[in-house]
Amino acid sequence: MILFSQILSIIGLIFFAFFIVYSDNQTLLLVIFILVVLKLSDQIFDVSYMSSATLIVNNADIQKLRSYEQMVSSFSSIIGPIIAATLFSTFNMNFGIFIITELICEICALLSMWLIKYTDKRRTKILHTKEMN
């Protein structure tokens, strides 16, 4: 599901980039479209991540995971607008650079998700218990 949400974001951004270049009058509709697609993708990611966190991390480490999540969230809410404003002023409001940057970030996230080796802790425990018997 997480991979699906990243792929949905990438496809939405590609469609947005393509149509923003070729349509001058429908900019508002395109912005609404990309906002809906990205929000939908984020919601799918959040629900999938939250429900699978107990399968990825040991129960003893769940509290640590939640504290790291809070720390990263706080850091990104502070530094994100600074980076966005810097990029926006550097590229003289060239919106295409933002779309390309977002596409690169989404593709990097997708590739990193493919590289992570997930193991189902409950399934591993059940298989280990069956082997012991």
Side-chain angles (χ1 to χ4, degrees):
M1 291 301 293
I2 293 173
L3 294 175
F4 171 74
S5 72
Q6 293 302 120
I7 292 170
L8 180 65
S9 294
I10 291 169
I11 291 171
L13 286 166
I14 289 171
F15 277 117
F16 179 74
F18 178 75
F19 287 116
I20 200 84
V21 170
Y22 292 111
S23 68
D24 294 329
N25 299 336
Q26 304 299 325
T27 305
L28 179 61
L29 291 175
L30 290 172
V31 169
I32 291 170
F33 163 76
I34 196 63
L35 288 175
V36 168
V37 168
L38 291 177
K39 186 64 175 175
L40 178 67
S41 174
D42 287 344
Q43 290 294 334
I44 292 170
F45 176 83
D46 288 343
V47 170
S48 300
Y49 171 73
M50 294 305 257
S51 65
S52 66
T54 56
L55 300 175
I56 299 169
V57 178
N58 292 328
N59 288 337
D61 294 331
I62 291 290
Q63 188 61 34
K64 261 192 222 181
L65 176 67
R66 300 294 180 225
S67 66
Y68 287 137
E69 288 171 356
Q70 185 64 37
M71 183 175 58
V72 168
S73 176
S74 297
F75 178 74
S76 65
S77 67
I78 293 169
I79 201 75
I82 295 169
I83 293 172
T86 303
L87 288 174
F88 193 72
S89 65
T90 302
F91 294 115
N92 296 326
M93 301 177 0
N94 186 352
F95 196 65
I97 299 295
F98 283 109
I99 296 170
I100 292 169
T101 303
E102 180 68 21
L103 272 171
I104 290 170
C105 290
E106 292 290 342
I107 290 169
C108 288
L110 182 66
L111 292 175
S112 67
M113 293 302 298
W114 273 328
L115 295 175
I116 294 174
K117 303 291 185 225
Y118 294 104
T119 57
D120 187 345
K121 303 293 181 192
R122 286 186 260 175
R123 184 175 176 185
T124 304
K125 187 176 181 179
I126 291 169
L127 290 175
H128 183 66
T129 305
K130 286 181 180 179
E131 288 175 359
M132 298 286 286
N133 293 332

PDB file of all heavy atoms in Angstrom, residues 87-109:
ATOM      1  N   LEU A  87      14.247  27.796  -2.120  1.00  0.00           N
ATOM      2  CA  LEU A  87      14.150  27.286  -3.486  1.00  0.00           C
ATOM      3  C   LEU A  87      13.290  28.203  -4.353  1.00  0.00           C
ATOM      4  O   LEU A  87      13.626  28.474  -5.512  1.00  0.00           O
ATOM      5  CB  LEU A  87      13.569  25.871  -3.494  1.00  0.00           C
ATOM      6  CG  LEU A  87      14.471  24.761  -2.984  1.00  0.00           C
ATOM      7  CD1 LEU A  87      13.703  23.454  -2.915  1.00  0.00           C
ATOM      8  CD2 LEU A  87      15.693  24.613  -3.871  1.00  0.00           C
ATOM      9  N   PHE A  88      12.201  28.686  -3.796  1.00  0.00           N
ATOM     10  CA  PHE A  88      11.292  29.540  -4.545  1.00  0.00           C
ATOM     11  C   PHE A  88      11.972  30.837  -4.965  1.00  0.00           C
ATOM     12  O   PHE A  88      11.847  31.274  -6.104  1.00  0.00           O
ATOM     13  CB  PHE A  88      10.050  29.834  -3.704  1.00  0.00           C
ATOM     14  CG  PHE A  88       8.926  30.439  -4.480  1.00  0.00           C
ATOM     15  CD1 PHE A  88       8.207  29.675  -5.381  1.00  0.00           C
ATOM     16  CD2 PHE A  88       8.584  31.768  -4.310  1.00  0.00           C
ATOM     17  CE1 PHE A  88       7.163  30.232  -6.102  1.00  0.00           C
ATOM     18  CE2 PHE A  88       7.544  32.330  -5.024  1.00  0.00           C
ATOM     19  CZ  PHE A  88       6.834  31.554  -5.921  1.00  0.00           C
ATOM     20  N   SER A  89      12.723  31.421  -4.052  1.00  0.00           N
ATOM     21  CA  SER A  89      13.405  32.676  -4.402  1.00  0.00           C
ATOM     22  C   SER A  89      14.622  32.440  -5.286  1.00  0.00           C
ATOM     23  O   SER A  89      14.954  33.273  -6.125  1.00  0.00           O
ATOM     24  CB  SER A  89      13.817  33.427  -3.138  1.00  0.00           C
ATOM     25  OG  SER A  89      14.779  32.681  -2.414  1.00  0.00           O
ATOM     26  N   THR A  90      15.274  31.313  -5.154  1.00  0.00           N
ATOM     27  CA  THR A  90      16.453  31.006  -5.959  1.00  0.00           C
ATOM     28  C   THR A  90      16.098  30.791  -7.427  1.00  0.00           C
ATOM     29  O   THR A  90      16.801  31.263  -8.315  1.00  0.00           O
ATOM     30  CB  THR A  90      17.174  29.755  -5.415  1.00  0.00           C
ATOM     31  OG1 THR A  90      17.532  29.992  -4.064  1.00  0.00           O
ATOM     32  CG2 THR A  90      18.402  29.431  -6.242  1.00  0.00           C
ATOM     33  N   PHE A  91      15.015  30.085  -7.676  1.00  0.00           N
ATOM     34  CA  PHE A  91      14.652  29.747  -9.049  1.00  0.00           C
ATOM     35  C   PHE A  91      13.680  30.742  -9.660  1.00  0.00           C
ATOM     36  O   PHE A  91      13.044  30.456 -10.673  1.00  0.00           O
ATOM     37  CB  PHE A  91      14.085  28.330  -9.114  1.00  0.00           C
ATOM     38  CG  PHE A  91      15.100  27.289  -8.771  1.00  0.00           C
ATOM     39  CD1 PHE A  91      14.947  26.511  -7.640  1.00  0.00           C
ATOM     40  CD2 PHE A  91      16.219  27.105  -9.554  1.00  0.00           C
ATOM     41  CE1 PHE A  91      15.888  25.555  -7.318  1.00  0.00           C
ATOM     42  CE2 PHE A  91      17.164  26.159  -9.238  1.00  0.00           C
ATOM     43  CZ  PHE A  91      16.999  25.382  -8.119  1.00  0.00           C
ATOM     44  N   ASN A  92      13.551  31.921  -9.070  1.00  0.00           N
ATOM     45  CA  ASN A  92      12.741  33.009  -9.615  1.00  0.00           C
ATOM     46  C   ASN A  92      11.324  32.571  -9.983  1.00  0.00           C
ATOM     47  O   ASN A  92      10.828  32.836 -11.057  1.00  0.00           O
ATOM     48  CB  ASN A  92      13.420  33.637 -10.835  1.00  0.00           C
ATOM     49  CG  ASN A  92      14.715  34.291 -10.458  1.00  0.00           C
ATOM     50  OD1 ASN A  92      14.852  34.837  -9.362  1.00  0.00           O
ATOM     51  ND2 ASN A  92      15.687  34.235 -11.347  1.00  0.00           N
ATOM     52  N   MET A  93      10.711  31.848  -9.080  1.00  0.00           N
ATOM     53  CA  MET A  93       9.312  31.434  -9.225  1.00  0.00           C
ATOM     54  C   MET A  93       9.080  30.544 -10.442  1.00  0.00           C
ATOM     55  O   MET A  93       7.997  30.537 -11.012  1.00  0.00           O
ATOM     56  CB  MET A  93       8.389  32.652  -9.240  1.00  0.00           C
ATOM     57  CG  MET A  93       8.512  33.477  -7.993  1.00  0.00           C
ATOM     58  SD  MET A  93       7.566  34.994  -7.864  1.00  0.00           S
ATOM     59  CE  MET A  93       6.663  35.198  -9.306  1.00  0.00           C
ATOM     60  N   ASN A  94      10.054  29.782 -10.859  1.00  0.00           N
ATOM     61  CA  ASN A  94       9.879  28.830 -11.951  1.00  0.00           C
ATOM     62  C   ASN A  94       9.227  27.575 -11.361  1.00  0.00           C
ATOM     63  O   ASN A  94       9.872  26.772 -10.711  1.00  0.00           O
ATOM     64  CB  ASN A  94      11.220  28.493 -12.599  1.00  0.00           C
ATOM     65  CG  ASN A  94      11.062  27.620 -13.817  1.00  0.00           C
ATOM     66  OD1 ASN A  94       9.971  27.128 -14.110  1.00  0.00           O
ATOM     67  ND2 ASN A  94      12.150  27.427 -14.534  1.00  0.00           N
ATOM     68  N   PHE A  95       7.920  27.438 -11.606  1.00  0.00           N
ATOM     69  CA  PHE A  95       7.150  26.375 -10.975  1.00  0.00           C
ATOM     70  C   PHE A  95       7.565  24.990 -11.447  1.00  0.00           C
ATOM     71  O   PHE A  95       7.421  24.008 -10.723  1.00  0.00           O
ATOM     72  CB  PHE A  95       5.660  26.608 -11.218  1.00  0.00           C
ATOM     73  CG  PHE A  95       4.780  25.824 -10.313  1.00  0.00           C
ATOM     74  CD1 PHE A  95       4.782  26.066  -8.956  1.00  0.00           C
ATOM     75  CD2 PHE A  95       3.955  24.841 -10.812  1.00  0.00           C
ATOM     76  CE1 PHE A  95       3.976  25.342  -8.103  1.00  0.00           C
ATOM     77  CE2 PHE A  95       3.146  24.114  -9.977  1.00  0.00           C
ATOM     78  CZ  PHE A  95       3.147  24.365  -8.615  1.00  0.00           C
ATOM     79  N   GLY A  96       8.117  24.889 -12.634  1.00  0.00           N
ATOM     80  CA  GLY A  96       8.563  23.599 -13.153  1.00  0.00           C
ATOM     81  C   GLY A  96       9.653  22.976 -12.303  1.00  0.00           C
ATOM     82  O   GLY A  96       9.711  21.752 -12.150  1.00  0.00           O
ATOM     83  N   ILE A  97      10.513  23.811 -11.728  1.00  0.00           N
ATOM     84  CA  ILE A  97      11.576  23.301 -10.853  1.00  0.00           C
ATOM     85  C   ILE A  97      10.979  22.636  -9.623  1.00  0.00           C
ATOM     86  O   ILE A  97      11.454  21.597  -9.176  1.00  0.00           O
ATOM     87  CB  ILE A  97      12.531  24.447 -10.438  1.00  0.00           C
ATOM     88  CG1 ILE A  97      13.199  25.073 -11.663  1.00  0.00           C
ATOM     89  CG2 ILE A  97      13.553  23.982  -9.425  1.00  0.00           C
ATOM     90  CD1 ILE A  97      14.124  24.146 -12.410  1.00  0.00           C
ATOM     91  N   PHE A  98       9.907  23.213  -9.083  1.00  0.00           N
ATOM     92  CA  PHE A  98       9.249  22.611  -7.922  1.00  0.00           C
ATOM     93  C   PHE A  98       8.653  21.256  -8.260  1.00  0.00           C
ATOM     94  O   PHE A  98       8.743  20.312  -7.480  1.00  0.00           O
ATOM     95  CB  PHE A  98       8.161  23.536  -7.364  1.00  0.00           C
ATOM     96  CG  PHE A  98       8.706  24.667  -6.560  1.00  0.00           C
ATOM     97  CD1 PHE A  98       8.650  25.946  -7.051  1.00  0.00           C
ATOM     98  CD2 PHE A  98       9.279  24.449  -5.326  1.00  0.00           C
ATOM     99  CE1 PHE A  98       9.158  27.003  -6.325  1.00  0.00           C
ATOM    100  CE2 PHE A  98       9.795  25.486  -4.587  1.00  0.00           C
ATOM    101  CZ  PHE A  98       9.735  26.769  -5.088  1.00  0.00           C
ATOM    102  N   ILE A  99       8.044  21.151  -9.425  1.00  0.00           N
ATOM    103  CA  ILE A  99       7.455  19.878  -9.833  1.00  0.00           C
ATOM    104  C   ILE A  99       8.550  18.832 -10.009  1.00  0.00           C
ATOM    105  O   ILE A  99       8.414  17.695  -9.556  1.00  0.00           O
ATOM    106  CB  ILE A  99       6.641  20.053 -11.129  1.00  0.00           C
ATOM    107  CG1 ILE A  99       5.463  20.997 -10.881  1.00  0.00           C
ATOM    108  CG2 ILE A  99       6.149  18.709 -11.642  1.00  0.00           C
ATOM    109  CD1 ILE A  99       4.743  21.412 -12.136  1.00  0.00           C
ATOM    110  N   ILE A 100       9.639  19.208 -10.648  1.00  0.00           N
ATOM    111  CA  ILE A 100      10.753  18.273 -10.847  1.00  0.00           C
ATOM    112  C   ILE A 100      11.360  17.868  -9.503  1.00  0.00           C
ATOM    113  O   ILE A 100      11.656  16.690  -9.281  1.00  0.00           O
ATOM    114  CB  ILE A 100      11.812  18.892 -11.782  1.00  0.00           C
ATOM    115  CG1 ILE A 100      11.242  19.026 -13.195  1.00  0.00           C
ATOM    116  CG2 ILE A 100      13.093  18.070 -11.790  1.00  0.00           C
ATOM    117  CD1 ILE A 100      12.081  19.848 -14.137  1.00  0.00           C
ATOM    118  N   THR A 101      11.528  18.828  -8.597  1.00  0.00           N
ATOM    119  CA  THR A 101      12.065  18.525  -7.275  1.00  0.00           C
ATOM    120  C   THR A 101      11.155  17.560  -6.529  1.00  0.00           C
ATOM    121  O   THR A 101      11.621  16.591  -5.914  1.00  0.00           O
ATOM    122  CB  THR A 101      12.248  19.826  -6.461  1.00  0.00           C
ATOM    123  OG1 THR A 101      13.091  20.716  -7.179  1.00  0.00           O
ATOM    124  CG2 THR A 101      12.850  19.536  -5.105  1.00  0.00           C
ATOM    125  N   GLU A 102       9.856  17.792  -6.586  1.00  0.00           N
ATOM    126  CA  GLU A 102       8.901  16.900  -5.930  1.00  0.00           C
ATOM    127  C   GLU A 102       8.937  15.507  -6.553  1.00  0.00           C
ATOM    128  O   GLU A 102       8.899  14.503  -5.842  1.00  0.00           O
ATOM    129  CB  GLU A 102       7.495  17.484  -6.010  1.00  0.00           C
ATOM    130  CG  GLU A 102       6.436  16.637  -5.371  1.00  0.00           C
ATOM    131  CD  GLU A 102       6.534  16.533  -3.865  1.00  0.00           C
ATOM    132  OE1 GLU A 102       7.160  17.404  -3.241  1.00  0.00           O
ATOM    133  OE2 GLU A 102       5.986  15.570  -3.310  1.00  0.00           O
ATOM    134  N   LEU A 103       9.033  15.433  -7.878  1.00  0.00           N
ATOM    135  CA  LEU A 103       9.134  14.132  -8.548  1.00  0.00           C
ATOM    136  C   LEU A 103      10.391  13.388  -8.118  1.00  0.00           C
ATOM    137  O   LEU A 103      10.349  12.179  -7.861  1.00  0.00           O
ATOM    138  CB  LEU A 103       9.142  14.316 -10.067  1.00  0.00           C
ATOM    139  CG  LEU A 103       7.792  14.340 -10.753  1.00  0.00           C
ATOM    140  CD1 LEU A 103       7.941  14.753 -12.204  1.00  0.00           C
ATOM    141  CD2 LEU A 103       7.116  13.005 -10.649  1.00  0.00           C
ATOM    142  N   ILE A 104      11.499  14.082  -8.034  1.00  0.00           N
ATOM    143  CA  ILE A 104      12.752  13.449  -7.606  1.00  0.00           C
ATOM    144  C   ILE A 104      12.628  12.930  -6.179  1.00  0.00           C
ATOM    145  O   ILE A 104      13.046  11.798  -5.887  1.00  0.00           O
ATOM    146  CB  ILE A 104      13.933  14.436  -7.749  1.00  0.00           C
ATOM    147  CG1 ILE A 104      14.237  14.679  -9.230  1.00  0.00           C
ATOM    148  CG2 ILE A 104      15.176  13.917  -7.026  1.00  0.00           C
ATOM    149  CD1 ILE A 104      15.207  15.808  -9.493  1.00  0.00           C
ATOM    150  N   CYS A 105      12.035  13.722  -5.308  1.00  0.00           N
ATOM    151  CA  CYS A 105      11.853  13.284  -3.912  1.00  0.00           C
ATOM    152  C   CYS A 105      10.937  12.070  -3.825  1.00  0.00           C
ATOM    153  O   CYS A 105      11.209  11.135  -3.058  1.00  0.00           O
ATOM    154  CB  CYS A 105      11.295  14.428  -3.072  1.00  0.00           C
ATOM    155  SG  CYS A 105      12.463  15.768  -2.800  1.00  0.00           S
ATOM    156  N   GLU A 106       9.851  12.066  -4.590  1.00  0.00           N
ATOM    157  CA  GLU A 106       8.933  10.927  -4.580  1.00  0.00           C
ATOM    158  C   GLU A 106       9.600   9.673  -5.125  1.00  0.00           C
ATOM    159  O   GLU A 106       9.408   8.572  -4.601  1.00  0.00           O
ATOM    160  CB  GLU A 106       7.671  11.249  -5.381  1.00  0.00           C
ATOM    161  CG  GLU A 106       6.791  12.299  -4.773  1.00  0.00           C
ATOM    162  CD  GLU A 106       6.089  11.858  -3.503  1.00  0.00           C
ATOM    163  OE1 GLU A 106       5.999  10.648  -3.241  1.00  0.00           O
ATOM    164  OE2 GLU A 106       5.624  12.743  -2.776  1.00  0.00           O
ATOM    165  N   ILE A 107      10.389   9.817  -6.175  1.00  0.00           N
ATOM    166  CA  ILE A 107      11.089   8.659  -6.746  1.00  0.00           C
ATOM    167  C   ILE A 107      12.134   8.131  -5.765  1.00  0.00           C
ATOM    168  O   ILE A 107      12.277   6.910  -5.593  1.00  0.00           O
ATOM    169  CB  ILE A 107      11.708   9.018  -8.117  1.00  0.00           C
ATOM    170  CG1 ILE A 107      10.592   9.212  -9.151  1.00  0.00           C
ATOM    171  CG2 ILE A 107      12.696   7.954  -8.583  1.00  0.00           C
ATOM    172  CD1 ILE A 107      11.038   9.810 -10.465  1.00  0.00           C
ATOM    173  N   CYS A 108      12.840   9.019  -5.086  1.00  0.00           N
ATOM    174  CA  CYS A 108      13.810   8.584  -4.062  1.00  0.00           C
ATOM    175  C   CYS A 108      13.103   7.850  -2.925  1.00  0.00           C
ATOM    176  O   CYS A 108      13.604   6.835  -2.427  1.00  0.00           O
ATOM    177  CB  CYS A 108      14.586   9.776  -3.515  1.00  0.00           C
ATOM    178  SG  CYS A 108      15.778  10.459  -4.673  1.00  0.00           S
ATOM    179  N   ALA A 109      11.946   8.339  -2.514  1.00  0.00           N
ATOM    180  CA  ALA A 109      11.176   7.665  -1.467  1.00  0.00           C
ATOM    181  C   ALA A 109      10.728   6.284  -1.930  1.00  0.00           C
ATOM    182  O   ALA A 109      10.802   5.306  -1.174  1.00  0.00           O
ATOM    183  CB  ALA A 109       9.983   8.512  -1.056  1.00  0.00           C
TER     184      ALA A 109
END
